[in-house]
Amino acid sequence: MEAMGEPKSQERYEDELRSAGMRITRPRKTILKILAEGEGHPDAMTIFHRASEIDASVSLSTVYRTMKVLEDRGAIQRHVFEGGPSRFEPAGGRHHDHLIDTETGEVIEFRSDKIEALQEEIARSRGYEIVSHRLELYVRKIRGRKR
Amino acid sequence: MEAMGEPKSQERYEDELRSAGMRITRPRKTILKILAEGEGHPDAMTIFHRASEIDASVSLSTVYRTMKVLEDRGAIQRHVFEGGPSRFEPAGGRHHDHLIDTETGEVIEFRSDKIEALQEEIARSRGYEIVSHRLELYVRKIRGRKR
DNA sequence: CTCACTGCAAACTCTTTGCATGGTT
DNA sequence: AACCATGCAAAGAGTTTGCAGTGAG
């Protein structure tokens, strides 16, 4: 219930890359392991730090390059939330949008078929078709009165 | 019907700044004039170029600084669409979201109370209140079959 | 006459890229 | 052995900022 973009296993990622004719190198293994852990929606620097703990020789460039490759392969998705760096999440789950807790930076996924339908309607009524869309709710936890 | 963030007149902008104790300088006058023209959703570089034609001495820094001041005053809004630089629009009209034509970069404003309501519902059901939100539809013109 | 504002250049953040070396297949 | 991928450092894009000079009030 937490993750709609359910994290692929590391093996799954590796197969995906291998079958695309890419080499499974040590740095990539490390990075894929981190993605497979599925801890939130990390940015490149976070991935880099986590990777460094496993293998101190992994470079930030490689993190960026690997993310780009995975993105091009459609294995991950990149999100740029307000004012921040790109954050990544495993792709392949159902499409969803995001709530971003403005106090903690935590990201919560949600999905609304009603909203999706309304968007379609809006675009179509203006003579357009939707190529992609982005819906982000920047939120704050309600405290005090319960409910 | 094109602009929901109806462009304030230049005088309106100036008054707004003056009453906030700010000095109306030559560069600011020039920049405000451009904003008042309300031509689309320009980015800083575009504003800079347009300003340069009127007064070649205006600097890009001043454009950025002025935009920031106006943004802090709530006189304009900043939008960062996918992969692009910040783009600005006069604020004060009703809230609205954006359709971005992926082929031309043109921005079309729209508004959906239904979607707004659904967003509220989604946030609330998860224990959050919305601080701000962003809804962008990246679209392509439908051609061929009419309708 | 003051002090906010300016232009300029330098700094900054995030990301990409050129190059020579190194590791997979 | 071939050549893709790597690390490093440098380059980019967009934006912000330090500084000394300038001009609005």
Side-chain angles (χ1 to χ4, degrees), chain A residues 41-49 63-64 67 84-88:
Chain A
H41 295 63
D43 59 26
M45 195 50 88
T46 301
I47 295 171
F48 172 61
H49 283 137
V63 172
Y64 275 112
M67 299 324 275
S86 295
R87 297 175 66 171
F88 306 92

Side-chain angles (χ1 to χ4, degrees), chain A residues 19-121:
Chain A
S19 69
M22 313 205 58
R23 293 176 180 175
I24 308 302
T25 62
R26 211 150 109 61
R28 280 184 183 162
K29 262 199 166 76
T30 307
I31 293 168
L32 295 182
K33 177 178 301 185
I34 289 161
L35 290 180
E37 283 168 2
E39 295 287 346
H41 295 63
D43 59 26
M45 195 50 88
T46 301
I47 295 171
F48 172 61
H49 283 137
R50 290 184 192 164
S52 298
E53 284 172 22
I54 301 175
D55 174 0
S57 74
V58 175
S59 77
L60 183 55
S61 316
T62 295
V63 172
Y64 275 112
R65 271 191 279 235
T66 302
M67 299 324 275
K68 170 156 284 186
V69 168
L70 291 173
E71 191 186 5
D72 292 347
R73 291 275 176 288
I76 61 170
Q77 259 191 275
R78 173 190 303 249
H79 302 291
V80 184
F81 300 130
E82 306 243 275
S86 295
R87 297 175 66 171
F88 306 92
E89 72 170 80
R94 286 168 51 188
H95 163 77
H96 56 259
D97 295 304
H98 300 90
L99 254 100
I100 299 95
D101 186 320
T102 53
E103 275 150 10
T104 66
E106 190 194 355
V107 172
I108 295 152
E109 304 172 352
F110 72 89
R111 171 174 179 78
S112 166
D113 292 319
K114 285 189 198 164
I115 290 182
E116 303 281 321
L118 288 166
Q119 289 176 359
E120 278 299 339
E121 207 176 282

